[in-house]
Amino acid sequence: MTSLLSPVPAQAPAKPVQGKIKCVVWDLDNTVWDGVLLEDGDVQLRPWVVEHVKRLDAMGVLHSVASKNDHETAMAKLREFGLDEYFLFPRISWNAKSVSIGQIARKLNLGLDAFAFVDDQEFERAEVAFALPQVTTVDILEADEVLRRPEFAPRFVTDESAQRRGMYFSQLARDDVEADFAGTGEDFLASLDLRFTIAPAKREDLQRAEELTVRTNQLNSTGRTYSYDELDALRSSSEHVLLVASLTDKFGSYGKIGLALLEKGTPDWRLNMMLMSCRVMSRGVGTVLLGHVMGLARAAGAGLRADFVETGRNRMMQITYAFSGFREVSRDGSHVVLAADLSEIQEPPAYVTLEVES
């Protein structure tokens, strides 16, 4: 059988630079606006900054704020300028900027290397660079040029890219409801009306599928990225199965959040790639797609082996495999081959409704 895939490398490839930055964190005084708000309430918004914020937002790049300021005064000014809706989880306090950025990263569940920080003061940029060296720091005097670089521009702008800010706002609303929920964690999940859909990838899914391979780190089995053209060839191959998973709840859609690539074979099928968006990590659905894939192999009378490459960031995916009954059968450095126990496949959690499309 001829494979469309090159061998999995012993070391996971580096993520491409293009689209690396997923969130831009802005200072306010002499950055988003000219002037110091607490010294002169009549600060002037910088139109070119607004243009960048809206342009990047439309491509799916998120924005937030890390500013040493009075929170209520600064938020009132952002509302006056009509910009408050663009900034997720703004941290406006007298804390160190690195502390604020760390809080934003945890709230948005993004790696620090996905952040850029824009500030006019060299001291503030140096403080962030020292405490959080993974963060890209940008001088406001250079921002107009820097924000046009490839690392701020995803290759594709998908429907989900344009809706990403709204999806995160929905997630923050979920978090607020969960914080006030009196029952157990499972009771809360049951209250969400979670619906998990698995379907064969269609051509219109491929831009988002490529984006998932580029953006997903913690729940990516190999760390490998796939181009649109590679995914299209695999989707059309009779020897492969390319599946896309989506999730919704009563707050709205999480979008397309999972991807699985199976290669048929004898006696074993091969799970070449498995990933889930980090946005759904807390929803307890990490094993649903994997369980479905295991069921497909068993129904075909085949065994199932899975490639796993230890990237240093995907320990959670390794745990997911182990929890689903996979065991290590061979290793070459960081490249591990896992074999599935198909005698007992876990059912989806009771709080999830699974819908499978043919």
Side-chain angles (χ1 to χ4, degrees), residues 90-128:
R91 309 311 292 155
I92 302 172
S93 68
W94 302 106
N95 289 334
K97 301 286 181 71
S98 61
V99 172
S100 295
I101 294 171
Q103 292 171 341
I104 295 165
R106 288 189 292 275
K107 193 70 174 179
L108 299 183
N109 197 23
L110 293 174
L112 288 167
D113 59 348
F115 282 80
F117 172 58
V118 185
D119 198 296
D120 65 300
Q121 295 191 35
E122 183 177 1
F123 170 83
E124 300 290 1
R125 299 193 304 274
E127 187 273 328
V128 169

Side-chain angles (χ1 to χ4, degrees), residues 262-263 265-271 287-306 321-327 329 338-347:
L262 274 161
E263 185 172 2
T266 303
D268 298 317
W269 284 17
R270 194 86 168 200
L271 183 52
T287 61
V288 177
L289 180 57
L290 187 53
H292 177 71
V293 165
M294 293 168 71
L296 290 178
R298 185 170 69 179
L304 180 63
R305 298 204 170 196
Y321 273 128
F323 186 73
S324 297
F326 284 76
R327 70 185 190 282
V329 292
L338 305 170
D341 178 2
L342 301 181
S343 62
E344 292 187 16
I345 300 174
Q346 296 181 44
E347 294 294 323

